Amino acid sequence: MRLLAGTTGPGSADRPDAVTVAGRALSTEALLGAALAVAGDVRGAAAVAVDATPSLETVVAVVGGLLAGAAVVPVPSDAGPAERDHILRDSGAELVLGPGATPVDVTRRGGGTLPAPAPGDAALIMYTSGTTGAPKGVVHTHGSLEAGVDAVAEAWDWTAGDRLVHGLPLFHVHGLVLGVLGALRAGSPLVHTAKPHPERYAAAGGTLYFGVPTVWSRICAQPSAARALSRARLLVSGSAALPVPVFERLYALTGHRPVERYGMTETLITISSRADGPRRPGHVGFPVQGVQTRVDAEDGGIGELWVRGPMLLRGYVHQPADLVDGWFRTGDIARKDPDGWHRIVGRASTDLIKSGGYRIGAGEVEDALLAHPAVREAAVIGTPHADLGEAVTAYVVVSAGVGEHELQDFVARHLSVHKRPRVVHLVDALPRNAMGKVQKKRLGGPML
């Protein structure tokens, strides 16, 4: 099939280490043979679920399902019983591949040829985080996946000569679509470190590294591991905004200004910095190949981001995509600079704070807080306020003794006074999901 052209297409090289996960490797030929064996088992099924653990079995199961023409449903490895049951029922998965279900044997080999799915056929059903209700199944086609991975490959000069390293979950766009399918389509070897530990990244010898801000922050905390990445070609950060201090620290240690990019489950990657261009801290760059963007800006140039392009979802399970003339409302708040650079401020529901008639982006205040040498983590939200409408409220993890008033004054010296936090909570940790994103809906809950 076309999505895996770099691995299965005519003339593709048989690499002995096409995919390595947690130290176990499969050659190109072995991967294809094992995937064809799975394809033979599931052929005819409309949808097949895969327990997405960080393993060779997951890679083989996903590739096998795609080769068979089934819609593959990655089930998060940390899903609780209720979430797992919802995903399986809602997606209509006819079979579950993975531990405790139908096991995948990577030593089996299948053969023969299978008809290539049509570009409009469903390829993946990926479930959103469900922050506003039960998770929704996002349906991506073979065509949208191809467009998505080809666009980032063009932006990042990603070729078969690269060696990709990451340790991200295999049930999200970042880890699965980019981190597995992207590597297979490019024909570049993939090293998955099982977990994104700094020392494992340092030892992997990659040219291309993927990470989320938490990963890069932890790598910066181990300078020897960070310096080992100086031999790489490109470091890519995504899934959440990379704090400016982490960007600058990573550059100081590795000599690399990381590429930042923006995407969603529904859209794949639509905006990115480029391998052959500058990178600007706190910004995600420009639309990738085939993408148009617009920002419905009001005062301050901040507004909701809309995107249009060939990598958008086909729809949701049981309902069509809510597109307006092909445009998708992301629900994210952005600023588009006069020179075309995009900066993501945050989610409309949690990161656009309307206080005293001002529109304040939470990300800008978070960056200001993170510039304080004692601040390790920061999350900012708006909370109800009788006079202002919403008050800028910060939750901060500090590494040394620092008081609420000192942090408020620090922000006021760096930003407009009206942007300073009215309330600062000093906490031990911030609630995060598997991709390292802060779960702002939980701020103020029992964990604090």
Side-chain angles (χ1 to χ4, degrees):
M1 64 179 291
R2 293 182 301 162
L3 181 60
L4 309 177
T7 301
T8 64
S12 56
D14 182 21
R15 296 181 180 272
D17 59 347
V19 176
T20 304
V21 183
R24 300 165 63 210
L26 283 177
S27 68
T28 307
E29 182 179 352
L31 171 62
L32 179 58
L36 285 170
V38 170
D41 294 338
V42 306
R43 190 174 182 183
V48 176
V50 175
D51 281 320
T53 60
S55 65
L56 280 178
E57 285 75 12
T58 293
V59 175
V60 168
V62 170
V63 175
L66 293 174
L67 289 173
V72 176
V73 186
V75 180
S77 56
D78 59 353
E83 181 182 358
R84 177 185 174 85
D85 182 63
H86 167 74
I87 291 172
L88 296 180
R89 284 188 295 102
D90 188 68
S91 67
E94 300 168 42
L95 187 69
V96 181
L97 302 174
T102 301
V104 175
D105 182 355
V106 301
T107 67
R108 291 176 62 208
R109 299 292 180 264
T113 58
L114 296 167
D121 288 348
L124 283 181
I125 302 175
M126 307 188 77
Y127 277 78
T128 63
S129 59
T131 55
T132 57
K136 293 193 294 184
V138 176
V139 181
H140 273 288
T141 65
H142 289 267
S144 66
L145 294 179
E146 289 173 19
V149 297
D150 286 350
V152 297
E154 189 278 332
W156 302 341
D157 293 336
W158 188 358
T159 71
D162 280 306
R163 179 180 177 88
L164 172 64
V165 176
H166 75 89
L168 304 174
L170 299 184
F171 46 84
H172 284 292
V173 166
H174 200 165
L176 180 59
V177 176
L178 300 185
V180 174
L181 302 183
L184 294 177
R185 184 158 173 84
S188 63
L190 163 65
V191 178
H192 192 285
T193 60
K195 292 186 178 181
H197 292 159
E199 60 274 12
R200 295 182 186 179
Y201 271 43
T207 64
L208 179 61
Y209 285 83
F210 291 171
V212 298
T214 302
V215 171
W216 297 123
S217 177
R218 290 173 181 174
I219 287 175
C220 287
Q222 295 190 28
S224 61
R227 293 188 184 100
L229 303 188
S230 62
R231 296 184 292 271
R233 183 179 67 83
L234 207 65
L235 310 181
V236 179
S237 183
S239 298
L242 182 67
V244 171
V246 177
F247 181 107
E248 294 173 343
R249 178 67 170 157
L250 198 58
Y251 175 52
L253 290 169
T254 69
H256 286 289
R257 291 182 172 89
V259 161
E260 296 184 65
R261 87 300 180 283
Y262 167 80
M264 301 178 65
T265 305
E266 287 91 342
T267 68
L268 304 184
I269 305 307
T270 51
I271 306 172
S272 179
S273 300
R274 297 182 58 86
D276 60 359
R279 295 88 192 254
R280 183 177 293 179
H283 293 71
V284 293
F286 305 89
V288 298
Q289 193 173 59
V291 171
Q292 297 173 281
T293 66
R294 76 183 199 218
V295 175
D296 285 352
E298 296 181 18
D299 51 308
I302 295 175
E304 184 175 6
L305 175 67
W306 294 57
V307 297
R308 182 164 65 180
M311 61 284 294
L312 267 59
L313 76 166
R314 186 178 76 181
Y316 297 99
V317 175
H318 309 309
Q319 67 183 89
D322 186 15
L323 303 179
V324 181
D325 293 329
W327 290 94
F328 180 82
R329 296 183 62 170
T330 66
D332 284 321
I333 301 302
R335 184 198 306 274
K336 187 174 181 179
D337 294 341
D339 56 1
W341 281 88
H342 290 68
R343 172 182 170 84
I344 306 301
V345 176
R347 292 296 293 172
S349 58
T350 56
D351 292 314
L352 181 61
I353 302 168
K354 298 179 180 179
S355 181
Y358 294 100
R359 292 161 61 90
I360 301 166
E364 186 178 19
V365 184
E366 289 162 358
D367 282 345
L369 286 164
L370 288 166
H372 191 289
V375 174
R376 291 165 46 201
E377 298 179 74
V380 171
I381 61 173
T383 56
H385 190 279
D387 179 46
L388 299 172
E390 286 185 304
V392 178
T393 302
Y395 293 81
V396 185
V397 180
V398 297
S399 58
V402 61
E404 170 186 343
H405 296 301
E406 179 181 341
L407 294 176
Q408 290 172 321
D409 292 342
F410 183 82
V411 173
R413 289 197 299 272
H414 286 74
L415 303 176
S416 301
V417 173
H418 68 265
K419 295 179 181 179
R420 76 187 188 284
R422 294 276 176 161
V423 181
V424 175
H425 298 286
L426 301 180
V427 299
D428 294 329
L430 299 177
R432 297 180 182 273
N433 64 15
M435 291 300 293
K437 291 183 180 180
V438 175
Q439 296 176 298
K440 291 192 174 183
K441 297 288 188 182
R442 293 179 54 196
L443 290 175
M447 61 81 60
L448 298 173

